[in-house]
Amino acid sequence: MNRKFFSTLIWVSFGISIFIFAFSNGEKTLTNALLTFGITVMYTLVIGVGNGLVNDFLSRKFSWVEQTRTRVIYGIIGTVLANVILVFLCNYINFIVIQGNDPTKFFIGNMGVFNWITVNISLLVSAILHAKSFMEEWKKSAKKEVVEQKLIAKSANAQFETLKNQLDPHFLFNSLNVLSSLIDENPNHAQRFTSSMSKIYRYVLEQKDKELVTVEEELYFAKTYCDLLKTRFEDSVKFEFNVDEKDKNGFVVPLSLQLLLENCIKHNFATPSKPLNIRIFQMKDFCV
């Protein structure tokens, strides 16, 4: 319940009091108008606030979405009890305390009929408010589910794109060409090159389902990847790692360093006379 809720109750009270005052048989005086408005405000505030508190309490305890049946059962019991008590309280104040009627006739005659009518009206209004609350919760749940599905779809697409980038066919093709050349020229280097490729693709497969890995793991993989690039580009590219030991226990996105290294190679020019120098270092809470 908020300020808007109370403001709505006051305006409802004002409208009902005007209707009652206009069609009543009593004298059309300012005193009667104020009395009618006061009694109407009492009914709407007591019954409205009471039902609002019951509805809020039940909504906190039982979810409309996940515990619908339980919420409905307790809602019916709580609403009936609350409205009977609140209506009888308001009617007693109105008829007995304000109008001075005989308390022994509170449940019989005209007062008994009015009790029955007001209880039913109150239950009808409460049922409408509960139905409104139910629809609002289902709408929120539906919107939340849509947002979650969109996030899952984006995450899956991002993971797919990342994995696709890591397993770039061009990278594999170039690496196999280098390996083919090394087999004839330097079998020992070819063996180390094959071992590095194996570690790279094993790491890709191991980390593809993880959201985060330690900086130490990512640095170890990045160095393996750099060894592969060094074999491929020889003196045309140089790497420098400068990350403190205390920062290696932090976490980064898997394969993020490899993606940065690959982009450095892809978007820069490197020759033995003008080698590409790539430096990975720590700046505050970032690896750059």
Side-chain angles (χ1 to χ4, degrees):
M1 292 184 294
N2 49 35
R3 184 179 298 178
K4 183 179 178 181
F5 177 78
F6 286 100
S7 177
T8 302
L9 289 180
I10 296 299
W11 280 108
V12 169
S13 301
F14 184 70
I16 294 175
S17 63
I18 291 177
F19 178 83
I20 294 174
F21 182 74
F23 290 94
S24 65
N25 295 324
E27 295 182 7
K28 301 298 188 291
T29 63
L30 179 61
T31 301
N32 285 341
L34 293 175
L35 181 62
T36 302
F37 179 70
I39 293 174
T40 306
V41 168
M42 177 190 69
Y43 274 94
T44 53
L45 284 180
V46 171
I47 297 175
V49 172
N51 277 280
L53 291 173
V54 170
N55 186 51
D56 289 346
F57 174 78
L58 292 175
S59 295
R60 287 195 302 269
K61 291 291 184 180
F62 310 103
S63 169
W64 272 117
V65 179
E66 298 175 359
Q67 300 169 287
T68 306
R69 183 176 179 181
T70 304
R71 178 67 175 81
V72 170
I73 293 173
Y74 280 98
I76 293 173
I77 296 172
T79 300
V80 170
L81 290 176
N83 280 280
V84 169
I85 294 171
L86 294 173
V87 167
F88 282 178
L89 174 63
C90 291
N91 284 346
Y92 188 88
I93 294 173
N94 180 21
F95 292 118
I96 308 302
V97 177
I98 297 176
Q99 297 185 32
N101 290 303
D102 185 359
T104 60
K105 297 181 179 180
F106 182 68
F107 293 104
I108 59 176
N110 292 334
M111 286 189 288
V113 172
F114 192 80
N115 284 333
W116 172 254
I117 293 174
T118 49
V119 165
N120 281 277
I121 293 175
S122 179
L123 287 174
L124 177 62
V125 174
S126 298
I128 295 173
L129 293 176
H130 280 284
K132 181 176 179 291
S133 174
F134 172 75
M135 293 303 298
E136 288 176 350
E137 287 299 318
W138 271 101
K139 286 181 180 179
K140 289 180 182 178
S141 176
K143 288 181 180 178
K144 182 179 179 182
E145 186 174 353
V146 170
V147 171
E148 289 177 350
Q149 290 299 324
K150 287 182 177 179
L151 290 175
I152 291 172
K154 288 182 179 179
S155 176
N157 185 62
Q159 291 178 4
F160 172 74
E161 290 296 329
T162 300
L163 183 60
K164 185 175 66 175
N165 289 333
Q166 308 318 311
L167 300 177
D168 189 346
H170 294 290
F171 169 74
L172 180 60
F173 177 76
N174 292 331
S175 297
L176 291 176
N177 279 340
V178 174
L179 178 61
S180 178
S181 301
L182 288 175
I183 290 174
D184 294 329
E185 297 174 5
N186 194 325
N188 290 331
H189 282 181
Q191 187 175 359
R192 288 196 297 270
F193 190 86
T194 303
S195 177
S196 296
M197 282 189 63
S198 174
K199 290 178 182 178
I200 286 173
Y201 281 93
R202 185 186 302 118
Y203 182 86
V204 170
L205 294 175
E206 288 175 351
Q207 309 303 332
K208 67 183 180 69
D209 293 326
K210 295 182 180 180
E211 294 184 359
L212 295 172
V213 295
T214 63
V215 173
E216 185 175 13
E217 288 179 288
E218 189 69 8
L219 284 173
Y220 179 79
F221 167 71
K223 290 177 181 178
T224 303
Y225 182 73
C226 289
D227 289 339
L228 203 66
L229 294 175
K230 284 284 291 181
T231 304
R232 176 181 166 189
F233 294 100
E234 297 181 340
D235 295 331
S236 298
V237 62
K238 297 180 180 180
F239 302 95
E240 179 184 352
F241 289 84
N242 186 16
V243 179
D244 295 337
E245 288 294 326
K246 62 181 179 66
D247 296 312
K248 292 183 178 180
N249 293 324
F251 293 91
V252 294
V253 176
L255 310 174
S256 54
L257 279 180
Q258 187 273 338
L259 184 60
L260 292 175
L261 289 168
E262 184 177 350
N263 285 333
C264 287
I265 298 295
K266 185 183 296 183
H267 300 294
N268 287 280
F269 184 73
T271 64
S273 59
K274 292 184 178 180
L276 175 63
N277 294 306
I278 300 176
R279 180 173 173 242
I280 298 173
F281 61 96
Q282 175 262 341
M283 179 182 291
K284 292 184 179 180
D285 296 329
F286 300 92
C287 277
V288 294

